């Protein structure tokens, strides 16, 4: 898989994309991630990527030309399955969308900034608009990092234990059951006996029941899906 991220602040993406599982997945060739600075696609001396909005509102708008240039160049090099725009007014991101994106070959993620992007970009280039939640960030970079992280960890071989991604929270619209490690007793608090029993059928039943109980209590909206 290949992920191309377009941004006006590439520094914001350096650390999240180059540590831990994402770093290893890139080294192992499971994913190629390329970050593009939109200022490299400007032609004026000040490398301008934004301008005042028509209509006189406050704030700045991302100019269309650098974005068109960058995306056209990338599209000339390979085909893309999805051109994503990160914005608080996009469709809310969830595990189902992460699963879907992880099955694609090449995707572009355009990070929104300032008041947003010139609407012509959204109309003519973007195929999917994604919000990571109903709150406003200073820019779409952290959203792009979150999308990339959640997709890359699903790629075959990216996380050591293959079964682990399948038992994540949300994979069945359920919260994950509680997990424990050694010691079996800490501060007088004991790990549930069933987990120490070695009876895997019982353990699986306990995990299902506790997952359901936690979901009913904390996220009943998931059960309605
Ligand atoms: N940019 C600013 N806020 C955002 C959000 N909630 N999701 C995605 N991109 C954003």
């Amino acid at each position: 898989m290949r992920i191309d991220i377009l941004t006006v602040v590439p520094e914001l993406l350096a650390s999240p994309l180059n540590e831990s599982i994402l770093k290893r997945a890139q080294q192992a060739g499971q994913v190629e991630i390329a970050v593009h600075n939109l200022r490299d696609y400007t032609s004026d001396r000040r490398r301008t990527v934004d301008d005042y909005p028509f209509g006189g509102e406050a704030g700045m708008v991302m100019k269309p030309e650098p974005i068109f240039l960058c995306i056209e160049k990338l599209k000339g090099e390979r085909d893309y399955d999805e051109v994503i725009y990160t914005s608080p007014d996009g469709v809310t991101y969830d595990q189902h969308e992460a699963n879907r994106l992880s099955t694609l070959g090449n995707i572009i993620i355009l990070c929104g900034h300032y008041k947003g992007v010139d609407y012509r970009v959204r109309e003519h280039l973007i195929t999917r608009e994604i919000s990571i939640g109903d709150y406003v960030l200073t820019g779409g970079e952290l959203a792009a990092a979150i999308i990339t992280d959640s997709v890359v960890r699903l790629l075959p071989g990216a996380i050591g234990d293959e079964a682990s991604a399948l038992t994540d929270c949300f994979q069945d619209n359920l919260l994950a059951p509680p997990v424990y490690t050694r010691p079996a007793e800490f501060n007088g608090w004991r790990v549930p006996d069933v987990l120490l029993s070695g009876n895997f059928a019982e353990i699986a039943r306990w995990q299902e029941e506790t997952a359901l109980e936690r979901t009913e209590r904390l996220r009943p909206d998931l059960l309605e899906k």
Side-chain angles (χ1 to χ4, degrees), residues 6-8 38-39 41-42 49 61-74 83 85 108 110-113 116-118 120-122 125-126:
L6 281 51
T7 169
V8 294
L38 285 169
R39 291 186 200 280
Y41 295 84
T42 56
V49 288
V61 175
M62 287 172 77
K63 288 166 68 63
E65 303 96 315
I67 297 167
F68 268 80
L69 262 180
C70 184
I71 291 181
E72 287 308 311
K73 175 176 167 280
L74 290 173
V83 182
Y85 172 56
I108 290 174
L110 167 65
C111 304
H113 235 274
V117 73
D118 184 289
R120 288 164 289 190
V121 171
R122 297 174 73 158
L125 288 180
I126 299 300

Side-chain angles (χ1 to χ4, degrees), residues 90-183:
V91 175
T92 308
Y93 192 59
D94 63 11
Q95 188 63 45
H96 298 284
E97 178 70 351
N99 293 348
R100 187 185 75 83
L101 294 179
S102 76
T103 67
L104 303 180
N106 303 317
I107 61 175
I108 290 174
I109 307 178
L110 167 65
C111 304
H113 235 274
Y114 313 112
K115 270 246 148 308
V117 73
D118 184 289
Y119 206 75
R120 288 164 289 190
V121 171
R122 297 174 73 158
E123 284 176 317
H124 301 292
L125 288 180
I126 299 300
T127 59
R128 192 118 187 116
E129 302 181 330
I130 294 181
S131 162
I132 59 161
D134 288 343
Y135 42 81
V136 180
L137 305 166
T138 52
E141 284 73 15
L142 296 179
I146 283 170
I147 293 167
T148 304
D149 184 290
S150 61
V151 168
V152 170
R153 65 187 292 287
L154 294 172
L155 298 178
I159 46 181
D161 179 357
E162 290 279 339
S164 160
L166 298 175
T167 58
D168 283 340
C169 252
F170 304 121
Q171 282 296 12
D172 305 315
N173 286 327
L174 284 177
L175 300 184
V179 292
Y180 299 87
T181 186
R182 279 175 289 209

Side-chain angles (χ1 to χ4, degrees), residues 185-196:
E185 180 161 339
F186 169 70
N187 256 1
W189 303 316
R190 267 188 70 72
V191 168
D193 283 337
V194 58
L195 295 180
L196 308 175

Side-chain angles (χ1 to χ4, degrees), residues 6-21:
L6 281 51
T7 169
V8 294
V9 199
E11 299 80 7
L12 274 175
L13 289 160
S15 157
L17 299 181
N18 291 302
E19 299 295 336
S20 182
I21 288 173

